[in-house]
Amino acid sequence: MITSLDQLDLSKQYTYADYLKWRFQERVELIRGRIFKMSPAPARKHQAISRYITSQMVKYFENRPCEWYYAPFDVRLPRKASKADKQVYTVVQPDICVICDKTKLDKRGCVGAPDLIIEILSPGNSKKEMKDKFEVYEEAGVREYWIVQSTDNNVLVYTLNEQGIFIGHRPFIEDEIMHSFIFPELKVDLREVFKD
């Protein structure tokens, strides 16, 4: 049994089957088989942003068929048709995600692309969210991706076009009420999000 990250070769590629055997304190994600350490505990501002956005999710999705989850919640993104644990090389824990196709949900989380993923940047994770996760979310077919930039008080929104490419929209800034493009009635008051 693996109980410490020190027992692993961080240059090696791992699968979800490996991930299930690990029993260490640190939270990690797998992106294309590479291990990424997660921040030990998000800062208070990150938590406040997450709490407010979550409250909007509760209101919007209360009587709708989609389900939403917040971290820690495993989202497995298989690259091929096989969903076998040994064939899944990407396991992420988005801050918030929305899944409308309930066949993607199982007792361990979600297997397949959520419809909406929201990531809140923290110091030290910007590259991972802006590049590595952006690429796997696009490749997997996530329909909409929000990147909440707490230091710049804005939200970048990307939606998937018919060719499977993320298209960026004008950033929503701190004094606006933003909306989702795939759920147009889902609105978030950024004055409340960034008030701290």
Side-chain angles (χ1 to χ4, degrees):
M1 180 179 293
I2 304 295
T3 57
S4 169
L5 266 174
D6 297 335
Q7 294 175 269
L8 298 174
D9 178 353
L10 298 183
S11 66
K12 185 180 170 190
Q13 190 176 51
Y14 293 96
T15 68
Y16 184 61
D18 299 315
Y19 175 94
L20 291 173
K21 297 175 189 172
W22 301 337
R23 300 285 180 262
F24 39 78
Q25 295 279 326
E26 298 97 339
R27 286 178 45 216
V28 298
E29 294 176 304
L30 284 180
I31 298 178
R32 295 183 173 139
R34 291 181 15 240
I35 296 172
F36 286 83
K37 295 179 189 178
M38 297 183 71
S39 302
R44 188 181 71 77
K45 184 172 184 177
H46 181 287
Q47 291 294 77
I49 290 169
S50 180
R51 184 179 62 240
Y52 181 77
I53 294 173
T54 297
S55 73
Q56 301 312 296
M57 295 291 168
V58 169
K59 291 175 190 172
Y60 180 78
F61 287 106
E62 184 174 23
N63 295 309
R64 288 182 168 82
C66 302
E67 295 195 22
W68 62 274
Y69 297 90
Y70 55 88
F73 178 78
D74 284 347
V75 172
R76 302 172 328 262
L77 300 173
R79 292 183 77 181
K80 298 177 182 165
S82 173
K83 296 179 183 178
D85 294 347
K86 290 183 179 182
Q87 297 295 316
V88 176
Y89 291 89
T90 297
V91 185
V92 291
Q93 295 186 358
D95 288 307
I96 301 169
C97 63
V98 176
I99 300 106
C100 297
D101 179 354
K102 293 186 183 176
T103 65
K104 293 180 179 180
L105 298 171
D106 63 19
K107 64 183 180 179
R108 296 183 295 182
C110 175
V111 59
D115 294 272
L116 170 63
I117 287 182
I118 302 169
E119 295 283 11
I120 303 164
L121 296 187
S122 297
N125 76 350
S126 297
K127 178 184 176 221
K128 181 173 67 168
E129 315 300 347
M130 299 289 291
K131 181 184 181 304
D132 301 312
K133 284 188 173 182
F134 182 98
E135 290 172 356
V136 294
Y137 291 165
E138 181 179 62
E139 179 182 288
V142 173
R143 292 175 55 210
E144 186 166 302
Y145 179 33
W146 298 6
I147 300 174
V148 181
Q149 299 190 105
S150 60
T151 54
D152 296 327
N153 291 352
N154 66 45
V155 180
L156 305 177
V157 179
Y158 299 89
T159 53
L160 208 63
N161 70 11
E162 291 177 6
Q163 292 75 40
I165 304 295
F166 274 145
I167 302 300
H169 300 274
R170 178 188 64 77
F172 290 98
I173 59 174
E174 63 189 319
D175 61 351
E176 293 183 299
I177 295 176
M178 71 168 291
H179 65 86
S180 166
F181 289 87
I182 62 171
F183 305 110
E185 295 172 6
L186 172 59
K187 299 189 184 320
V188 177
D189 186 342
L190 296 183
R191 291 168 299 192
E192 292 296 319
V193 169
F194 298 120
K195 70 180 177 183
D196 283 344

